[in-house]
Amino acid sequence: MSINRARRQLWLGGGLVLLGSVASPAIAGLTRPNVRKLSFQNLHTGERLRVDYWIEGNYVPDALQTVNHLLRDFRTGDVHPIEPRLLDALSSLRGMLETESDFHVISAYRSPKTNEMLHERSAGVASTSLHMRGMAIDVRLSDRPLPRLREAALRLAAGGVGYYPKSNFVHIDTGRVRRW
Ligand SMILES: [Zn+2]
């Protein structure tokens, strides 16, 4: 059994486990587990989450599910898979900005019903929004100025970047690289 597989099974079986303890002493002494972490605060529900969602080359299914739940459509309660590439973009942004603080989430998944309602209210909401496909999120970082988050997202060029200084968030998606 590969080390990756052993770790994954331990994770699924026992929740949060000390990853280093599974590796052979030789490996554990030389390398730290390769982990991608994220933390969120959903501003509508007050929920917080800190999660290791990718470990040693594998996305962690249980972790993705907890992320999907936190990033659900808070108006309808609908849960939709959030594209892992979007999480990778957020993880990279935290790295670029040298912070491990929470992403404050203004909006992530939107059900077609919610999107339609928002679209009718605001010209800024597209009828085919990537929010409906779990490919977009509106966020700010609690300890970094909004312009820096925007600038980092533009440098990362993982998809679309929308700047909403009046509402104090940056829209980040994994669609085509574009900006507004
Ligand atoms: Zn958005």
Side-chain angles (χ1 to χ4, degrees):
M1 186 187 291
S2 75
I3 289 165
N4 281 351
R5 198 163 165 76
R7 284 179 183 171
R8 168 89 166 281
Q9 286 182 347
L10 251 196
W11 173 282
L12 293 174
L16 280 166
V17 194
L18 277 179
L19 293 164
S21 63
V22 191
S24 73
I27 293 174
L30 292 173
T31 60
R32 289 171 54 213
N34 197 2
V35 174
R36 292 181 195 159
K37 306 161 179 291
L38 277 173
S39 60
F40 295 103
Q41 206 174 122
N42 183 320
L43 297 184
H44 298 285
T45 64
E47 292 163 304
R48 291 189 67 184
L49 175 67
R50 304 186 77 85
V51 69
D52 295 353
Y53 72 94
W54 183 97
I55 299 174
E56 299 284 355
N58 295 303
Y59 292 106
V60 181
D62 283 3
L64 295 183
Q65 276 187 25
T66 59
V67 170
N68 295 344
H69 181 76
L70 186 107
L71 299 183
R72 68 193 179 279
D73 183 331
F74 73 92
R75 290 181 177 86
T76 64
D78 290 318
V79 178
H80 187 280
I82 300 298
E83 186 163 299
R85 276 198 305 134
L86 184 63
L87 304 182
D88 290 338
L90 296 176
S91 170
S92 298
L93 289 171
R94 288 210 316 180
M96 291 165 78
L97 294 168
E98 297 177 328
T99 177
E100 294 210 327
S101 71
D102 294 349
F103 278 104
H104 288 184
V105 181
I106 289 86
S107 182
Y109 172 62
R110 287 181 201 149
S111 64
K113 188 177 163 195
T114 294
N115 202 71
E116 178 64 25
M117 184 266 289
L118 296 174
H119 174 64
E120 279 169 14
R121 280 192 201 166
S122 162
V125 175
S127 59
T128 56
S129 166
L130 293 177
H131 284 278
M132 287 195 292
R133 294 161 63 184
M135 294 169 64
I137 192 164
D138 299 337
V139 285
R140 58 179 170 256
L141 271 169
S142 49
D143 65 348
R144 292 292 181 269
L146 200 66
R148 285 198 60 200
L149 176 60
R150 175 202 189 209
E151 184 194 306
L154 290 172
R155 255 189 299 140
L156 182 65
V161 178
Y163 189 50
Y164 297 87
K166 279 187 193 148
S167 307
N168 195 15
F169 69 78
V170 177
H171 164 108
I172 294 161
D173 69 50
T174 55
R176 277 183 304 108
V177 175
R178 64 215 191 285
R179 66 165 75 182
W180 63 92

